[in-house]
């Protein structure tokens, strides 16, 4: 159980730093433990929302009091699960994923630990220094690479409050060695923003395809190899590129991680591993998720144990590594603009690190879709949900 594992960490490393704030100040494992135990979660669930220090404390409080925790992004309301969490549920994610439908996903402690420990061993995170949390820890990638590594394996996390170049450098400068997870759009911004990576022992990219051009830029400019990691929130990490050289094929997602098995069905990748979750709160017809197996929306070729990405066949829109729901965006535009018919879809972006752009198709004459209309129609949208192309009737 988690409690025994955490007690051992506190007993052995209580005075050591668990969490570094952006100014270099540290919160020890003993302080973190005391903060979490002092909280008395009310009700049957702990809502985990906020910055990295808040997420870490709330997760730990829920885990120690054996109350399920639900991750909620800063800009979102908590989704109430459509069905009760299955017995043994410790963590609830609410995510869009490849399906394009926002739902809850349920996980036990053992399933969480399997993903965290698999990455810890395969990426040798225990020797990489401090994990820098510059991306959202309300998303699976950021959470598993940083905060959960602290809570399960005593790897310290550094909180970078903003993912921009200067705040990132300010946060990293206090540490001789760090490992840095990011999405391709951020890696591009960091490289163009002249971030210095001299103390970065491991650079990891996930969330959307990593181009050879970006990988080459990092190698040529700073001698930094960005390692491609592939996974899904439903099943955790699946594969990674462990090589120190530039990949030869842009589609290359690396090799399967230890104890992860995969095969294709009708071209789509199906993953079998101990980190696959219990299931969704609202399964869709024909889905395969649970009992240790998850069928993705991604069409991927398998060459021995190496994965070659073709494309995603799901309805979810991937904007710079953030998975968005077409139905949610359409509903917000309908409400804001008073329209009956709005269709939202994704299209390939001219900026490869952005991955996809959002297209809005409206039952409205094109001439009426002017600047003032767009301001009104987008009034309920988050910045990353705003369509880049608007198509009306002729």
């Amino acid at each position: 159980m988690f409690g025994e594992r955490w007690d051992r960490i506190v007993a052995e490393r209580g005075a050591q730093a668990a969490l570094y704030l952006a100014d270099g100040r540290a919160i020890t494992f003993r302080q973190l433990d005391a903060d979490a135990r002092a909280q008395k979660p009310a009700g049957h669930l702990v809502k985990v929302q906020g910055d990295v220090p808040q997420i870490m404390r709330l997760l730990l409080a829920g885990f120690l009091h054996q109350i399920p925790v639900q991750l909620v992004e800063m800009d979102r309301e908590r989704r109430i699960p459509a069905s009760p969490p299955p017995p043994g549920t410790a963590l609830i994610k609410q995510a869009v994923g490849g399906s394009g439908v926002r739902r809850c996903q349920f996980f036990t402690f053992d399933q969480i630990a399997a993903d965290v420990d698999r990455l810890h061993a395969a990426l040798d995170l225990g020797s990489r220094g401090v994990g820098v949390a510059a991306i959202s820890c309300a998303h699976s990638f950021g959470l598993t690479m940083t905060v959960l590594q602290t809570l399960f394996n005593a790897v310290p996390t550094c909180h970078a409050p903003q993912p921009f170049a200067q705040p990132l450098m300010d946060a990293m400068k206090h540490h001789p060695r760090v490992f840095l997870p990011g999405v391709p759009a951020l890696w591009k911004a960091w490289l163009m923003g002249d971030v210095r990576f001299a103390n970065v022992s491991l650079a990891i990219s996930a969330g959307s395809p990593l181009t050879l051009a970006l990988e080459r830029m990092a190698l040529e400019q700073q001698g930094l190899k960005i390692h491609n990691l592939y996974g899904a929130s439903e099943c955790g990490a699946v594969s990674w590129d462990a090589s120190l050289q530039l990949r030869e094929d842009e589609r290359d997602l690396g090799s399967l991680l230890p104890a992860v098995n995969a095969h294709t069905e009708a071209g789509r990748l199906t993953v079998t591993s101990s980190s696959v979750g219990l299931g969704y709160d609202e399964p869709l017809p024909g889905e395969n998720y649970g009992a240790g197996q998850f069928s993705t929306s991604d069409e991927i070729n398998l060459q021995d144990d190496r994965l070659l990405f073709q494309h995603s066949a799901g309805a979810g829109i991937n904007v710079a590594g953030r998975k968005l729901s077409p139905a949610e965006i359409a509903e917000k535009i309908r409400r804001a603009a008073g329209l009956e018919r709005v269709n939202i879809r994704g299209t390939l972006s001219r900026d490869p690190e952005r991955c996809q752009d959002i297209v809005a198709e409206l039952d409205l004459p094109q001439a009426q879709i002017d600047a003032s209309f767009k301001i009104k129609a987008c009034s309920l949208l988050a910045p990353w949900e705003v369509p880049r192309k608007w198509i009306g009737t002729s």
Side-chain angles (χ1 to χ4, degrees):
M1 291 295 291
F2 173 81
E4 295 176 359
R5 186 168 179 164
W6 174 254
D7 288 345
R8 187 164 56 251
I9 289 174
V10 174
E12 296 174 356
R13 308 194 185 195
Q16 297 179 19
L19 174 65
Y20 290 98
L21 304 180
D23 59 7
R25 289 182 296 128
I27 297 171
T28 67
F29 284 100
R30 190 170 293 119
Q31 290 172 314
L32 195 62
D33 180 68
D35 290 346
R37 292 186 188 278
Q39 296 191 42
K40 303 296 183 184
H44 63 283
L45 181 141
V46 176
K47 184 174 82 168
V48 177
Q49 188 176 39
D51 61 14
V52 172
Q54 291 170 312
I55 288 174
M56 189 174 288
R57 289 188 178 98
L58 289 167
L59 277 173
L60 183 56
F63 289 169
L64 290 176
H65 290 91
Q66 299 184 42
I67 298 175
V69 298
Q70 182 168 347
L71 286 164
V72 183
E73 298 172 61
M74 290 279 278
D75 63 308
R76 298 287 178 187
E77 296 295 324
R78 174 182 168 247
R79 173 187 167 90
I80 299 174
S83 58
T89 296
L91 174 68
I92 304 171
K93 302 176 186 177
Q94 54 181 61
V96 172
S99 70
V101 180
R102 186 174 301 279
R103 289 175 289 175
C104 290
Q105 305 163 6
F106 304 115
F107 299 84
T108 67
F109 276 120
D110 287 345
Q111 291 163 347
I112 301 166
D115 189 30
V116 174
D117 291 344
R118 184 175 290 120
L119 283 170
H120 184 267
L123 278 61
D124 193 22
L125 297 182
S127 69
R128 300 289 190 176
V130 177
V132 181
I135 57 176
S136 173
C137 289
H139 295 157
S140 295
F141 177 40
L143 179 75
T144 308
M145 285 297 304
T146 56
V147 169
L148 290 181
Q149 293 297 335
T150 300
L151 299 183
F152 281 76
N153 291 310
V155 177
T157 289
C158 167
H159 172 40
Q162 297 291 337
F164 308 121
Q166 191 58 52
L168 176 64
M169 287 190 288
D170 289 343
M172 292 197 303
K173 69 183 180 182
H174 302 285
H175 312 288
R177 282 170 64 81
V178 302
F179 59 90
L180 180 59
V183 297
L186 280 177
W187 280 111
K188 182 178 182 179
W190 293 338
L191 288 163
M192 295 181 70
D194 293 326
V195 173
R196 294 300 161 206
F197 300 104
N199 60 339
V200 174
S201 63
L202 180 66
I204 316 104
S205 178
S208 60
L210 175 67
T211 65
L212 289 180
L214 184 61
E215 187 179 345
R216 184 179 295 109
M217 180 193 301
L219 275 170
E220 292 177 351
Q221 288 185 4
Q222 302 211 26
L224 181 72
K225 162 67 179 184
I226 301 177
H227 297 267
N228 209 12
L229 179 73
Y230 170 74
S233 61
E234 290 90 344
C235 64
V238 174
S239 65
W240 89 300
D241 167 33
S243 69
L244 298 178
Q245 290 77 39
L246 181 71
R247 291 171 300 153
E248 296 181 358
D249 191 331
E250 192 162 89
R251 302 171 300 162
D252 189 355
L253 300 175
S255 299
L256 290 170
L257 288 161
V260 175
N261 296 306
H263 65 277
T264 57
E265 296 180 9
R268 298 193 184 188
L269 189 74
T270 293
V271 177
T272 303
S273 83
S274 54
S275 56
V276 173
L278 295 170
Y280 297 117
D281 64 332
E282 283 189 299
L284 299 177
E287 288 184 325
N288 175 27
Y289 180 34
Q293 194 170 87
F294 170 61
S295 294
T296 73
S297 299
D298 296 331
E299 295 192 1
I300 290 176
N301 288 343
L302 278 168
Q303 292 186 0
D304 298 323
D305 69 338
R306 206 123 185 124
L307 275 62
L308 298 178
F309 180 80
Q310 304 303 312
H311 69 95
S312 179
I317 303 174
N318 188 335
V319 176
R322 186 187 291 264
K323 308 302 190 301
L324 304 177
S325 165
E328 288 183 357
I329 297 172
E331 175 59 23
K332 290 178 182 179
I333 294 176
R334 274 195 293 268
R335 284 164 48 203
L339 297 175
E340 289 187 8
R341 191 189 73 83
V342 176
N343 181 57
I344 297 293
R345 59 180 174 86
T347 188
L348 193 65
S349 177
R350 287 183 294 180
D351 178 357
E353 278 68 51
R354 183 177 171 85
C355 195
Q356 288 185 291
D357 291 330
I358 300 169
V359 178
E361 298 172 332
L362 313 178
D363 189 13
L364 192 70
Q366 188 71 44
Q368 294 184 26
I369 307 176
D370 54 16
S372 60
F373 170 83
K374 292 177 185 177
I375 291 172
K376 178 181 178 182
C378 295
S379 61
L380 301 178
L381 299 178
W384 46 84
E385 294 177 321
V386 174
R388 286 205 166 183
K389 187 173 183 180
W390 300 78
I391 301 175
T393 56
S394 57

